[in-house]
């Protein structure tokens, strides 16, 4: 496969579930065992700190621990670390931390709680330490719900994914809308 073909080859990633112990703490041993299983699949890599990875139940320290443990055991697979924060400063702080822990890319959710999306991307994208994958989840926790208003039009998503440092787009729940 030549370089041009490789760039067109889609990445196949799935949100990586986060295992918890009975007491609610992060179970890093279980994560290591899960990684060993997933390395036997054709997945291109791991997407951490996502809604399906129980991001809202993790502290900042646990998010970092998760990235570190996957980075140590992932072999040659891609590690995409998720950031979901409407603050430019906090988004960049987390991205820098995740890069230092071994992430290859940053997954940014298109902010839902601010009308300043254009400004957010203009401020964040040029300063990101790693390439970015964008995702548009209109209402996390409500997959396939009807009546959920999109946070952005397909045209606006196309505009943002054309900006510097954006390597791609992760399709979410509403493929008909996103195409």
């Amino acid at each position: 496969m030549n370089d041009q073909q490789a760039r067109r080859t889609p990445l196949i990633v799935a949100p990586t579930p986060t295992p918890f112990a009975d007491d609610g703490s992060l179970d890093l041993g279980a994560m290591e065992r899960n990684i060993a299983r997933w390395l036997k699949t054709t997945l291109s890599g791991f997407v951490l700190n996502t809604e399906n990875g129980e991001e809202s139940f993790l502290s900042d320290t646990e998010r970092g621990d998760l990235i570190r443990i996957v980075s140590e055991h992932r072999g040659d697979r891609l590690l995409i670390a998720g950031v979901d924060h409407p603050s430019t400063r906090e988004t960049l702080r987390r991205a820098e931390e995740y890069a230092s822990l071994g992430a290859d890319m940053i997954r940014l959710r298109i902010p839902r709680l601010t009308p300043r999306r254009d400004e957010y991307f203009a401020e964040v994208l040029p300063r990101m330490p790693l390439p970015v994958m964008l995702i548009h989840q209109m209402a996390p926790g409500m997959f396939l719900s009807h009546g959920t208003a999109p946070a952005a039009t397909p045209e606006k998503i196309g505009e943002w994914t054309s900006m510097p440092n954006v390597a791609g787009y992760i399709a979410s729940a509403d493929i008909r809308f996103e195409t």
Side-chain angles (χ1 to χ4, degrees), residues 119-176:
E119 294 87 349
Y120 172 84
F121 287 122
E123 293 168 11
V124 167
L125 291 175
R127 297 165 55 195
M128 291 301 276
L130 297 170
V132 172
M133 299 290 283
L134 296 181
I135 188 170
H136 184 238
Q137 288 176 308
M138 293 163 272
M142 301 175 72
F143 290 113
L144 303 179
S145 295
H146 298 287
T148 303
T153 65
E155 294 77 20
K156 186 54 79 171
I157 293 169
E159 186 180 311
W160 293 327
T161 57
S162 298
M163 294 177 80
N165 290 341
V166 177
Y169 180 78
I170 298 174
S172 185
D174 195 346
I175 299 298
R176 292 177 306 229

Side-chain angles (χ1 to χ4, degrees), residues 18 26 28 48-50 53-70 79 81-85 90 93-94 97-98 101:
T18 302
L26 185 59
L28 294 176
L48 304 173
N49 300 336
T50 67
E54 298 77 36
E55 69 184 323
S56 60
F57 296 102
L58 298 172
S59 69
D60 279 347
T61 300
E62 290 172 323
R63 288 178 184 149
D65 289 344
L66 198 56
I67 292 166
R68 180 185 47 75
I69 202 77
V70 172
L79 196 166
V83 175
D84 180 25
H85 207 286
E90 184 62 15
R93 182 194 70 75
R94 289 180 183 187
E97 176 187 356
Y98 298 165
L101 292 169

Side-chain angles (χ1 to χ4, degrees), residues 85-106:
H85 207 286
S87 160
T88 299
R89 186 180 71 191
E90 184 62 15
T91 295
L92 291 169
R93 182 194 70 75
R94 289 180 183 187
E96 290 287 345
E97 176 187 356
Y98 298 165
S100 74
L101 292 169
D104 298 303
M105 301 181 97
I106 300 295

